[in-house]
Amino acid sequence: MVEQSTETRQQSTATYPMGRAVVVLPTYDERDNIEAVTEAVLKQQAQIANFELHVLISDGHSQDGTMDIAQRMADENPRVHFIDVNKRGIGAGIFVGFTHAINEVDADVIIEMDSDFQHNPHDIPIMLEQIAAGYDVVVGSRFLTGSHNNMPFFRKILSYGANAVLRIALGLKGVTEITTSFRAIRKEAFLKLDESEVPWWEEKSFIAVPVFLVRMLSKDVKATEVPMTMHPRIKGYSKMIYWRYIRDVLWFSFKDRLGLT
Ligand SMILES: Nc1nc2c(ncn2[C@@H]2O[C@H](COP(=O)(O)OP(=O)(O)O)[C@@H](O)[C@H]2O)c(=O)[nH]1
Ligand SMILES: [Mg+2]
């Protein structure tokens, strides 16, 4: 991690009036993607006038050399940061990453995004435009006019099903996408969440991704959605365990509906 002096921070916020946006990339065994996706994210700076873009790689103690690549990039580029979460689970990657982005990288806005190119860095400027327009939470959605979902049939069924179950069980209105991890969040909105309200964040299950959003939307936050493009992964492998995810979506929905979470 590269420390920023107060002076540097003042200079950069003068150039970027709305402050710093930190893209938190949770990683586990992403050695074939991490460098290219970090570069693709940072290239979006050319389309963003209001925010200074940084990347934080939040790694679950990968075994494939991802951490060495991330550390090297952080050493070479002051816009790249790295934390070894030293714990498995995408929820831990996101939660610890967000906290680190705020406390150590001085984030004003956090962007939650996968590190395997399933989310398209081109969508980042549109999300930040909505933050600049006054929203606290901007959710990338596969289910709006203008969205493109290029995922295989099985993954489409899984996401339609999981979104439908969660929306119906929790009575969520005005949000079409709960399950993919592409969102921009103002620091203040994230800080409204107490760790104890997201009891599943430490689970090694992808249920943490919808639970975060559901809990954040239960706060007094101004939220909106933007269309996004989703692609299948080309390099590396998926860490999602389908049966565990389906079980946890059903179990969480059931318990939350009954007020037992
Ligand atoms: N920090 C951390 N990140 C993870 C973990 N598991 C998955 N990820 C990352 O979370 C993102 C989504 O995971 P992925 O395996 O692609 O799931 P899928 O897109 O649902 O197939 C990717 O960037 C992964 O590298 C983990 O245990 N810890
Ligand atoms: Mg993926």
Side-chain angles (χ1 to χ4, degrees), residues 114 116 118 233:
D114 287 356
D116 56 359
Q118 285 193 240
R233 173 195 275 280

Side-chain angles (χ1 to χ4, degrees), residues 95 99 190 192-202:
F95 207 93
T99 307
F190 176 66
K192 285 183 185 184
L193 267 186
D194 187 86
E195 202 176 289
S196 62
E197 294 171 90
V198 195
W200 299 49
W201 74 268
E202 289 194 274

Side-chain angles (χ1 to χ4, degrees), residues 66-80:
T66 301
M67 290 203 291
D68 295 335
I69 301 169
Q71 187 60 62
R72 175 180 48 77
M73 287 192 294
D75 291 342
E76 287 171 4
N77 186 343
R79 298 274 189 112
V80 180

Side-chain angles (χ1 to χ4, degrees), residues 215-256:
R215 289 293 183 261
M216 204 127 54
L217 295 179
S218 73
K219 303 287 174 190
D220 182 21
V221 294
K222 207 174 153 202
T224 189
E225 290 187 311
V226 293
M228 63 173 271
T229 300
M230 189 129 164
H231 310 274
R233 173 195 275 280
I234 295 171
K235 294 182 177 169
Y237 68 100
S238 171
K239 288 93 202 174
M240 178 183 269
I241 300 169
Y242 295 118
W243 67 262
R244 186 185 279 174
Y245 182 60
I246 294 166
R247 179 197 68 185
D248 291 349
V249 165
L250 294 172
W251 188 225
F252 171 74
S253 300
F254 175 73
K255 280 179 77 176
D256 208 68

Side-chain angles (χ1 to χ4, degrees), residues 145-171:
T145 310
S147 305
H148 297 283
N149 189 352
N150 303 326
M151 296 296 283
F153 183 67
F154 170 68
R155 292 294 299 241
K156 278 189 182 161
I157 297 289
L158 187 65
S159 57
Y160 277 115
N163 271 298
V165 167
L166 286 161
R167 275 214 318 271
I168 293 165
L170 311 183

